[in-house]
Amino acid sequence: MKTRKNKFRKRNSEETRAAILQAVGDILRKDGHHGLSVTKVAAKADVDPKNIYAYFGDYNNLLKDYIHSTDSWFPILGEYGDGELPELSQLRDIIIGIFQNQFDTFGSNIEMQKFIFWQISSVNATMREVSEQRESRAALLLELADKHAKGGDISLRACFAIILGGIYYNVWHAENNKSSVCGIDINIPEEREIFRDTIKKLLRLIWEAAG
């Protein structure tokens, strides 16, 4: 009987890299971050573990590359990362759009739900770095929002943080427990739309009060 010289599936470089990233997502959806390791990712992708180091440098770079390809914040905030800021008069509606988009995307992106939960539930230098990168990209928009609230006694940043935390909590609750929060069940389309519309109305009220 002939021995198979290479037990791994043959792919070109682009296919191999894509298969590794896909394996991270598959494991994250099924087992959460506790299921991730170089060995498990390589086995899922049907590649030699050495390929992870060849294509990504190390395991942490693999995680960062995967998150950057999946996290909806990076493309949104990247639009304003080069100093091309909107007019202050446009900022309120832009921020409303960002938060509503985040609610929509986070609710449908199981992988993002998993790695955001990872960031808040355990100490991990890579997850901290990714979180700080998001903060850095958002800084220009936040500084512009500060100009609107200059001299007021309402912190727009604190309000944004509260709304974002509410989005995350309600999505996690609906996804994991399939139940309501304060009588709102965003698994029901009509109530999901009420929640989404209320994000807009809250941000409008906060913006007016801050200015």
Side-chain angles (χ1 to χ4, degrees), residues 49-62:
K50 294 178 181 178
N51 281 326
I52 290 177
Y53 299 98
Y55 286 97
F56 298 95
D58 59 32
Y59 177 61
N60 288 330
N61 282 335
L62 167 61

Side-chain angles (χ1 to χ4, degrees), residues 35-54:
L36 290 171
S37 70
V38 170
T39 302
K40 291 179 179 178
V41 170
K44 184 71 176 178
D46 193 18
V47 300
D48 190 318
K50 294 178 181 178
N51 281 326
I52 290 177
Y53 299 98

Side-chain angles (χ1 to χ4, degrees), residues 3 12 19 29 37 43 48 52 55 58-59 92-93 114 131 137 143 150-152 159-160 171 185 192 197-198 205 211:
T3 302
N12 62 35
R29 281 193 302 274
S37 70
D48 190 318
I52 290 177
Y55 286 97
D58 59 32
Y59 177 61
R92 184 200 69 175
D93 290 339
K114 297 285 187 179
S131 181
R137 293 196 179 197
E143 288 169 7
K150 188 176 181 180
C159 292
F160 297 158
V171 168
D185 184 354
R192 182 180 184 84
D197 186 57
T198 301
L205 288 170

Side-chain angles (χ1 to χ4, degrees), residues 128-149:
R128 173 67 181 268
E129 181 180 344
V130 170
S131 181
E132 288 177 345
Q133 287 172 349
R134 279 196 217 100
E135 288 292 306
S136 177
R137 293 196 179 197
L140 292 175
L141 284 181
L142 292 173
E143 288 169 7
L144 187 57
D146 287 341
K147 293 180 180 179
H148 171 74

Side-chain angles (χ1 to χ4, degrees), residues 7-100:
K7 65 179 180 179
F8 302 109
R9 179 179 169 186
K10 286 188 175 181
R11 300 184 179 95
N12 62 35
S13 297
E14 185 175 334
E15 290 172 339
T16 299
R17 193 177 189 281
I20 294 170
L21 289 170
Q22 180 63 46
V24 174
D26 291 343
I27 294 171
L28 199 57
R29 281 193 302 274
K30 183 175 183 293
D31 301 320
H33 66 274
H34 294 294
L36 290 171
S37 70
V38 170
T39 302
K40 291 179 179 178
V41 170
K44 184 71 176 178
D46 193 18
V47 300
D48 190 318
K50 294 178 181 178
N51 281 326
I52 290 177
Y53 299 98
Y55 286 97
F56 298 95
D58 59 32
Y59 177 61
N60 288 330
N61 282 335
L62 167 61
L63 293 178
K64 285 185 281 189
D65 278 18
Y66 173 76
I67 292 173
H68 286 158
S69 71
T70 309
D71 189 334
S72 64
W73 280 116
F74 285 102
I76 292 172
L77 297 176
E79 295 180 27
Y80 309 105
D82 299 322
E84 299 178 2
L85 293 175
E87 296 293 327
L88 186 56
S89 60
Q90 302 172 323
L91 187 59
R92 184 200 69 175
D93 290 339
I94 288 172
I95 289 173
I96 289 171
I98 288 173
F99 276 91
Q100 287 187 316

